[in-house]
Amino acid sequence: MTTTAADREIDRLLALHPKGFDLSLERVSRLLEKLDNPQDRLPPVIHIAGTNGKGSAAAFSRALLEAAGHSVHVHTSPHLVNWHERYRMGAPGGGRLVEDEVLAEAVARAAKVNGGEHITVFEILTAVTFLLFSEHPADAAIIEVGLGGRFDATNVISRPAVSVIMPISLDHEAFLGDRVELIAAEKAGIIKPGAPVVIGAQETSTAQDVLVATAERLGCPHLVYGQDFLAYEENGRMIFQDETGLMDLTPPRLPGRHQYANAAAAIAAVKTAGFTLSHRAVDKAMTSVDWPGRMQRLPKGKLSELAPEGAEVWLDGGHNPGAGVVVAEALAEQEERFARPLFLICGMLNTKDQVGYFRAFEGMARHVYTVPVSSSDAGVPNAELANRAMSAGLSAEPVNSVANALMLLRDTWDPGETPPRILIGGSLYLAGEVLAQNGTPPA
């Protein structure tokens, strides 16, 4: 892969500053003050937190705003292949990933102003988000939380147009707590006094109760999925309903019934942020939304062509038990439409609940190939991961790479059998590796 000017600037940061997260607002606030507080000069902000679905909510929000004719900046993390993916710059007719020289200059400027003081790379890159989004005009900015909420580096926005909390489940317990209510309290930290809140479909009443109580305590108008808005399937269509009435819509392009709820949260959020959405714009957004690495049908490329002839190859970066459930449900829907044997190719990090993730596929997956995650120091050895999959009741074996797994499946496949459905998943790091190796990075 070609090294860009921005890559070189970020590599310098990685050599100087600690990796990972160190949850605090002190360091990023200090840096932003030296940069003249660009976070206070943003267009209306849609700030999104949650364990699962926040990336989809960001993608739907972007699609809705662009379909309505607005330019919108989007910050998401982590990236899959290139750092530039974290910064989508709003432009008439649709956004684009930040130009390399623009990103390199902003990173160098933030690093120079920081002056070598203790800070994490994520905090500097978050400051870069605010620099870029404040210096380039747009109608809105969508900003996804990196980790948690209360002490996440993005949580310096004093008055968001709307705060959005997507489904909450156990993840990052070492940072956020080992109970759903504790994690919900951390996510609720992005709620600001008096600023409106949209609460997406929650997996437990415990999480929802914490979020509603926080909104009420801070005097925030709030909308709750299932009470104030919802979406459901009817006669092959998606129906969105809120206090203004019904919208009969084309189903979302992103597969899985869980995306109906994610789309609904985005519609509610964009409307709450003060933007008018016509029925036509919402329908267009459902068909144009794009979110790489999340239940993505892997396009033709160097890797996908190694699969058995006629196979379906899917890619998903979900990496916790909650994500496993929604991915398994999405695959079950595919099975209802066209039955195929399901195989998994999985790599995971040692910070995740691997057994909990695999348990979602018990009774569905015929076999699991476990692979290393070479782009992370925290990858679980493939032999150990195979044991975790077997602990969840699955048949599993370790192989050295995704390419080897696909070739092994191809070479042993009975051509008289229906071609398989293959899910490559378990880690966003692995998803990024796959898109890079396939030659199909996000654009």
Side-chain angles (χ1 to χ4, degrees):
M1 189 186 304
T2 303
T3 300
T4 68
D7 292 332
R8 290 191 290 273
E9 292 293 342
I10 295 171
D11 285 344
R12 291 189 187 100
L13 294 180
L14 291 168
L16 284 172
H17 299 289
K19 292 183 179 180
F21 294 92
D22 184 4
L23 296 181
S24 166
L25 296 180
E26 180 181 346
R27 294 175 301 274
V28 71
S29 297
R30 180 197 68 224
L31 173 57
L32 289 168
E33 187 171 351
K34 291 181 178 181
L35 292 166
D36 197 25
N37 290 312
Q39 77 278 8
D40 296 334
R41 302 191 304 276
L42 301 179
V45 171
I46 298 173
H47 197 195
I48 306 176
T51 307
N52 297 306
K54 62 181 185 289
S56 295
F60 277 116
S61 296
R62 172 195 157 207
L64 288 160
L65 286 161
E66 290 186 342
H70 298 291
S71 60
V72 54
H73 297 319
V74 187
H75 165 77
T76 56
S77 66
H79 61 278
L80 294 175
V81 179
N82 299 305
W83 291 101
H84 306 68
E85 298 166 33
R86 298 182 180 225
Y87 312 96
R88 181 171 289 275
M89 308 301 293
R96 60 185 184 277
L97 299 188
V98 64
E99 294 177 1
D100 185 65
E101 60 270 24
V102 174
L103 177 56
E105 188 278 331
V107 173
R109 188 170 13 137
K112 182 178 180 180
V113 168
N114 185 63
E117 292 196 54
H118 182 77
I119 197 166
T120 67
V121 173
F122 180 77
E123 288 164 340
I124 293 182
L125 296 181
T126 300
V128 167
T129 299
F130 298 131
L131 273 180
L132 292 172
F133 290 5
S134 67
E135 294 175 351
H136 295 80
D139 299 320
I142 299 166
I143 296 180
E144 180 189 333
V145 165
L147 175 61
R150 183 163 59 114
F151 292 122
D152 183 75
T154 66
N155 197 29
V156 292
I157 302 158
S158 59
R159 184 73 184 185
V162 62
S163 300
V164 185
I165 316 288
M166 296 303 288
I168 293 169
S169 61
L170 292 176
D171 197 12
H172 298 295
E173 291 96 325
F175 291 100
L176 306 178
D178 58 0
R179 301 198 309 277
V180 167
E181 60 267 30
L182 296 177
I183 295 176
E186 291 296 321
K187 308 285 187 187
I190 72 165
I191 298 174
K192 301 299 191 301
V197 179
V198 168
I199 299 172
Q202 296 301 315
E203 298 171 12
T204 66
S205 59
T206 302
Q208 182 168 302
D209 290 347
V210 170
L211 300 175
V212 170
T214 303
E216 291 178 344
R217 176 171 54 82
L218 295 175
C220 302
H222 52 282
L223 300 176
V224 180
Y225 183 87
Q227 298 178 17
D228 304 296
F229 68 95
L230 75 160
Y232 53 91
E233 183 178 5
E234 185 174 277
N235 298 324
R237 303 281 291 174
M238 174 177 135
I239 307 300
F240 172 81
Q241 181 176 357
D242 64 7
E243 61 181 4
T244 66
L246 298 174
M247 285 189 186
D248 181 352
L249 302 164
T250 304
R253 180 182 175 210
L254 302 183
R257 288 191 179 92
H258 63 290
Q259 295 295 1
Y260 285 51
N262 292 340
I267 296 169
V270 171
K271 293 174 70 173
T272 300
F275 295 92
T276 300
L277 291 175
S278 68
H279 187 285
R280 181 177 180 181
V282 176
D283 199 69
K284 180 181 178 182
M286 295 304 103
T287 61
S288 64
V289 64
D290 181 51
W291 191 225
R294 281 76 170 183
M295 279 308 291
Q296 176 185 358
R297 183 79 177 267
L298 199 65
K300 285 294 182 183
K302 296 176 183 177
L303 268 186
S304 57
E305 290 170 0
L306 300 176
E309 183 72 26
E312 280 184 15
V313 184
W314 295 84
L315 179 68
D316 189 87
H319 47 252
N320 56 49
V325 169
V326 296
V327 171
E329 289 174 350
L331 290 169
E333 291 173 36
Q334 298 294 326
E335 180 71 5
E336 289 173 9
R337 295 188 183 98
F338 188 88
R340 293 175 181 264
L342 175 64
F343 289 78
L344 307 184
I345 302 173
C346 288
M348 297 190 74
L349 303 189
N350 58 25
T351 55
K352 306 302 176 183
D353 178 358
Q354 301 100 31
V355 175
Y357 175 85
F358 284 124
R359 200 168 279 133
F361 301 95
E362 187 176 7
M364 290 181 60
R366 180 182 292 187
H367 192 64
V368 182
Y369 298 101
T370 57
V371 298
V373 181
S374 59
S375 55
S376 172
D377 296 335
V380 178
N382 53 349
E384 182 179 333
L385 189 59
N387 289 333
R388 301 286 169 81
M390 288 186 280
S391 296
L394 303 178
S395 166
E397 67 177 293
V399 293
N400 291 330
S401 68
V402 172
N404 285 346
L406 290 169
M407 289 188 289
L408 180 60
L409 190 54
R410 181 193 63 195
D411 293 344
T412 57
W413 194 254
D414 180 353
E417 190 173 5
T418 302
R421 179 171 289 121
I422 304 165
L423 172 72
I424 307 172
S427 168
L428 283 170
Y429 288 96
L430 181 67
E433 292 175 16
V434 167
L435 289 172
Q437 293 167 18
N438 199 50
T440 52

